[in-house]
Amino acid sequence: MQTLHDTEPRFEPESAPRKHRRSNAAFEAYAMLAPSILGFAVFLIAPIVIVVVLSFYDWNLLSDPEFIGLENYRELAGDERALKSIGNTFYYVLLNIPAQTVLALLLALALNSKIKARNTFRVLYVLPWMAMPVALGVIWRWVFDPQYGALNRFLDLFGVDGAAWLTDSTWAMPVIASVNIWQYSGYTMLFFLAGLQAIPAQLYEAADVDGASPLYRFFAITLPLLRPAMLFVLITSVIGSFQVFDTIHVMTAGGPAGSTATLNYQIYLESFTQRNAGYASMLAVILFAIIALITLAQAALFRKRTTYDFS
Amino acid sequence: MNKTRTAAIAALALALPAALAACSGDDDGPVTLRYAFWDDNQRPALEAMIKAFNEDHPDIEVELEQNPWEDYWAGLDSRFAAEEAPDVFWNHVSRFPTYAANGVLLPITDDIEADGVDPAAYPEDLYDSWQYEGDQYGLPKDWDSIALVYRLDALEAAGIDPATVNDLEWNPVDGGAYVEFLQKLTVDANGNNALSPDFDPENVVQYGTAMSSNTGQTDWWNYAVQNGCSLQTEPWGDYAIDAPECVEAIQFTADLYNKWHVAVPAESTNQPNGGVPGDYVVPGQAATTLDGSWMLSFYRDGLEPGSWAVADNPSGPVGSGTVINGLSNAIYAGTDHPDEAWELVKFLGSEEAQSISTGMGSVWPGVSSLNQGFADYWAGEGIDVTGFQTAAEGTTTGYPLSMNDAAFGTAAMDEFNQVWLGQKDAQEAAEAVVAIANAE
């Protein structure tokens, strides 16, 4: 009786503050989230909504926008430049992603082994990603100058006649892609490196006991267990690749003859050199749709595969 | 990853806080005006003029906002969209029609009358070029024309008498004396010039000329005038660069690259990545170039005194000719300080202000009476600049006046870059440009 009597009041006052504390905690959490939610709404949600709305308008940036319904979308069908820029975008992504991913994976494998000065190499490969893309673009532009650039001067030493890299429509896009591969491989490598270090060592030991070849170990253990890292890397780098802008702006400005104008660059040109901000918004919506579809497809592709059973 | 967002989204996102911040009071305290321009060479003269302005207007602070030409217009347009444009800015004839028609410029007709500013102080054409539907939208800041700039050491090495440079003629058939002049100045690694049968066009150490205009203003437009071509049917009319006399001038320009091999290759000079013409002349990659009067201080600062000079443009089949242009100082229609902005524009258009910039050799003045002051400055530097004046007094063309300037500019750069590279026929390119520019 006494114990019950004793416990009861103890129980009551305890439950009330706990409830109170819980709602207090929730309030604090929301308060702390508020700045980022506000930022998210103002800088991401609002611009996206504005762009979607603007895609139904004719707007030259200077006077008031005029509602034209689906006219911008209808115009796209006959716009060779815009359609070509969509093709250019896929071409760039195909040049960029496979090479960058394979290179990053090879770098990660090499720097995951016990070689000398491993940390120095890791830093060196990440450096290009840390530098300003615009500054790097300017320097690469000098390197690729056909007359006075370092690359063709170097090729000259071996009697090789270097191409006009950035003014030749065959070469310009591969050159841009290679600069970006150089710039982002080290960064992508970091994710593979983290993924590699998370693979339990006993799996390799077991494989050794079974006498598996290094190649077999790579395809049976390393690659399947890297799948989470691979999914992350592919989704983010494909999105980044579809949005490439700075390197192109600095190195070719979309030229020669529109051969490096990706969809993202075409959006800039339409909006800020042709003053067709409504039409550019329509292109931005198209780019958004393309990226969303491809990202969904990637996620689905990775989900379909059987997962490796750890237990 | 490639951390970029579309420029459009960024601009719109920026517009939001800008709109929130746009409420500044209009009391009697000190006022700050933002003044936008692009040409680095003219910065010292602008600073000197603003200093003089502040002697009479200590309460008006002027902040200079500089953006290079390539970024200037996109930046200005997006700030018009955000209603955050600079109060006063340099305006260009090619953008003027669209700006005036869309109401982003403040008319100053009444201010001019109220303050008794005399339009006769400026050349009539220059003053009138800033009129739209009966209103005046700016006061002339300067004028410019194109002339031949050359290195004396290159001429000496080629055994060319500088006295002969003023009378060079070209023709589309065999190039004429002008092309021969450029051939003598184009030298390969073995010391052979472009007239020699042993000349190696793949191994040139000095070219006769450099052409790297992003419009044509300092290269093919000049050959076009000299060949009787009009870029437009009439001011505000259609583009007409597919006419035979225009195509011939375009072809002649392409020949300087690919037939005569006397111009720094288009692989290097094509815009937007190529340098300005002076970037090739100053280090000696080119011996001469056609360039604008606003670039004189670039050569002064890059070359030894007495090592370079200015001559008349060459003449073509119909005679001599040049591209003439001028800038104005304009006021943003949405400015919070229209009175102060007008005070600044009025001062910058005055004889007092422009005598400061001519005294520094910056640009030919908008105020006619000061022309001699500019010529005198350069005579003091040992440079005879009458070539620009002679050119301006002869046959001239200006920038085309059109609402379709943006479409024309982009299409022309795209198409003609290919012609300069020898990858496209001049006629075909001219027709493509006209089709795009006249369609809108």
Side-chain angles (χ1 to χ4, degrees):
Chain A
M1 219 21 208
Q2 213 179 341
T3 34
L4 192 76
H5 189 77
D6 268 344
T7 48
E8 241 179 20
R10 214 184 288 152
F11 184 77
E12 282 269 291
E14 215 182 76
S15 87
R18 196 186 286 158
K19 235 181 198 171
H20 188 68
R21 216 177 296 138
R22 200 183 295 138
S23 69
N24 233 0
F27 176 78
E28 275 169 25
Y30 284 127
M32 281 191 273
L33 279 173
S36 68
I37 289 175
L38 188 73
F40 186 70
V42 170
F43 293 109
L44 203 66
I45 304 296
I48 289 174
V49 172
I50 292 171
V51 165
V52 172
V53 171
L54 273 179
S55 73
F56 301 108
Y57 282 80
D58 181 20
W59 188 33
N60 68 1
L61 300 171
L62 304 178
S63 40
D64 292 338
E66 187 194 332
F67 184 77
I68 51 166
L70 288 169
E71 191 53 39
N72 286 328
Y73 290 87
R74 261 182 238 122
E75 225 177 279
L76 176 63
D79 183 352
E80 280 174 36
R81 272 311 273 270
L83 295 176
K84 190 182 166 197
S85 78
I86 296 176
N88 288 341
T89 310
F90 279 95
Y91 179 45
Y92 171 77
V93 172
L94 286 176
L95 286 172
N96 183 233
I97 296 301
Q100 181 176 305
T101 312
V102 170
L103 192 64
L105 186 54
L106 290 176
L107 285 175
L109 288 170
L111 294 182
N112 197 39
S113 60
K114 286 178 179 133
I115 58 163
K116 272 186 188 168
R118 192 168 67 167
N119 284 337
T120 313
F121 278 114
R122 285 179 184 174
V123 172
L124 278 180
Y125 286 121
V126 182
L127 272 183
W129 169 73
M130 295 166 75
M132 283 267 297
V134 171
L136 289 176
V138 170
I139 291 169
W140 279 113
R141 203 173 81 196
W142 292 341
V143 171
F144 284 111
D145 186 285
Q147 291 283 309
Y148 312 107
L151 179 63
N152 280 4
R153 290 265 163 117
F154 178 72
L155 291 174
D156 257 357
L157 297 178
F158 306 98
V160 177
D161 227 1
W165 305 106
L166 295 171
T167 45
D168 183 324
S169 47
T170 315
W171 279 111
M173 193 62 111
V175 167
I176 299 256
S178 63
V179 166
N180 279 333
I181 290 166
W182 169 81
Q183 191 173 2
Y184 293 105
S185 289
Y187 175 70
T188 309
M189 171 197 77
L190 287 182
F191 295 99
F192 286 134
L193 211 48
L196 287 175
Q197 282 164 5
I199 298 176
Q202 65 261 34
L203 287 178
Y204 291 108
E205 285 158 16
D208 277 343
V209 171
D210 291 345
S213 72
L215 204 63
Y216 187 81
R217 284 192 305 174
F218 174 76
F219 283 106
I221 302 171
T222 313
L223 206 53
L225 289 185
L226 270 183
R227 192 177 314 131
M230 187 67 85
L231 176 67
F232 175 80
V233 159
L234 280 181
I235 285 186
T236 53
S237 60
V238 165
I239 290 174
S241 203
F242 269 100
Q243 295 177 336
V244 62
F245 180 85
D246 28 30
T247 320
I248 291 174
H249 188 53
V250 178
M251 292 185 70
T252 60
S259 61
T260 58
T262 57
L263 186 47
N264 202 22
Y265 201 74
Q266 189 68 15
I267 292 169
Y268 167 79
L269 290 177
E270 281 291 351
S271 191
F272 293 106
T273 69
Q274 305 301 315
R275 296 197 196 95
N276 295 326
Y279 191 76
S281 300
M282 178 277 294
L283 292 178
V285 172
I286 300 289
L287 178 61
F288 178 79
I290 292 175
I291 293 175
L293 283 176
I294 286 177
T295 306
L296 285 175
Q298 277 178 298
L301 191 72
F302 273 79
R303 208 175 299 138
K304 269 182 204 159
R305 297 207 182 153
T306 49
T307 43
Y308 211 91
D309 193 1
F310 266 108
S311 51
Chain B
M1 300 276 87
N2 308 25
K3 272 193 197 163
T4 52
R5 190 161 295 164
T6 71
I9 291 179
L12 288 161
L14 286 172
L16 284 173
L20 298 173
C23 332
S24 58
D26 205 5
D27 48 28
D28 287 326
V31 161
T32 302
L33 293 177
R34 291 150 62 213
Y35 179 27
F37 73 107
W38 63 80
D39 186 3
D40 200 40
N41 292 317
Q42 297 185 45
R43 190 176 185 107
L46 293 187
E47 283 170 349
M49 286 189 279
I50 289 165
K51 206 176 150 204
F53 175 70
N54 280 333
E55 281 168 17
D56 284 339
H57 300 88
D59 279 354
I60 305 177
E61 195 195 332
V62 182
E63 261 176 27
L64 285 175
E65 286 186 5
Q66 185 180 0
N67 275 303
W69 168 268
E70 304 82 56
D71 300 326
Y72 184 83
W73 302 104
L76 205 52
D77 285 352
S78 56
R79 287 182 297 166
F80 284 136
E83 301 184 354
E84 266 295 293
D87 306 280
V88 178
F89 59 93
W90 281 14
N91 204 2
H92 192 273
V93 177
S94 62
R95 320 287 155 148
F96 174 66
T98 308
Y99 284 171
N102 281 284
V104 294
L105 303 177
L106 190 74
I108 54 173
T109 324
D110 296 342
D111 298 307
I112 289 169
E113 207 172 285
D115 287 2
V117 174
D118 183 12
Y122 312 100
E124 203 180 336
D125 288 357
L126 216 53
Y127 184 82
D128 289 352
S129 61
W130 306 105
Q131 279 168 10
Y132 178 77
E133 294 187 345
D135 266 317
Q136 185 77 19
Y137 287 94
L139 289 181
K141 170 186 131 27
D142 58 25
W143 66 268
D144 57 70
S145 67
I146 313 300
L148 187 103
V149 177
Y150 64 93
R151 292 177 65 115
L152 282 158
D153 55 351
L155 263 67
E156 201 176 312
I160 300 169
D161 178 3
T164 62
V165 181
N166 283 328
D167 307 308
L168 296 168
E169 288 182 13
W170 65 271
N171 68 67
V173 184
D174 66 2
Y178 176 55
V179 168
E180 199 184 315
F181 164 76
L182 296 178
Q183 282 174 312
K184 283 183 194 162
L185 290 166
T186 303
V187 184
D188 70 13
N190 300 317
N192 295 316
N193 71 26
L195 285 168
S196 156
D198 299 325
F199 173 68
D200 176 11
E202 299 298 317
N203 224 337
V204 174
V205 292
Q206 175 187 283
Y207 286 94
T209 189
M211 304 186 286
S212 62
S213 166
N214 51 21
T215 53
Q217 186 186 8
T218 60
D219 42 63
W220 78 266
W221 288 4
N222 296 280
Y223 302 132
V225 192
Q226 294 155 15
N227 202 41
C229 152
S230 303
L231 303 173
Q232 252 178 323
T233 51
E234 58 184 331
W236 303 94
D238 278 348
Y239 291 95
I241 58 167
D242 55 343
E245 56 277 16
C246 297
V247 172
E248 214 167 54
I250 296 164
Q251 184 60 51
F252 173 71
T253 310
D255 287 348
L256 291 176
Y257 286 111
N258 303 314
K259 181 178 172 187
W260 311 106
H261 306 287
V262 295
V264 178
E267 283 86 357
S268 285
T269 54
N270 268 355
Q271 296 298 316
N273 283 343
V276 293
D279 287 335
Y280 303 95
V281 174
V282 167
Q285 289 156 7
T288 80
T289 187
L290 302 186
D291 210 346
S293 45
W294 67 90
M295 288 303 285
L296 282 165
S297 54
F298 181 90
Y299 295 97
R300 175 196 63 199
D301 298 343
L303 291 168
E304 290 297 314
S307 72
W308 61 286
V310 176
D312 288 346
N313 281 322
S315 311
V318 305
S320 64
T322 188
V323 181
I324 190 165
N325 187 38
L327 307 180
S328 70
N329 289 301
I331 303 174
Y332 169 46
T335 176
D336 290 332
H337 313 291
D339 298 337
E340 289 83 358
W342 161 245
E343 283 302 318
L344 178 61
V345 166
K346 184 173 72 174
F347 177 77
L348 293 170
S350 70
E351 191 173 335
E352 182 193 349
Q354 297 196 1
S355 68
I356 295 172
S357 67
T358 51
M360 296 170 75
S362 179
V363 279
W364 287 104
V367 176
S368 316
S369 60
L370 295 169
N371 277 332
Q372 194 53 45
F374 182 79
D376 288 347
Y377 168 86
W378 285 102
E381 293 285 316
I383 304 292
D384 179 2
V385 294
T386 48
F388 293 105
Q389 248 172 327
T390 316
E393 284 157 10
T395 315
T396 60
T397 186
Y399 268 81
L401 273 174
S402 169
M403 296 288 183
N404 297 346
D405 170 70
F408 172 73
T410 307
M413 194 194 284
D414 246 29
E415 293 293 325
F416 294 132
N417 272 349
Q418 296 174 70
V419 177
W420 311 150
L421 288 166
Q423 295 168 352
K424 199 160 195 172
D425 178 59
Q427 178 78 41
E428 201 185 318
E431 282 168 8
V433 173
V434 167
I436 293 170
N438 289 344
E440 306 224 343

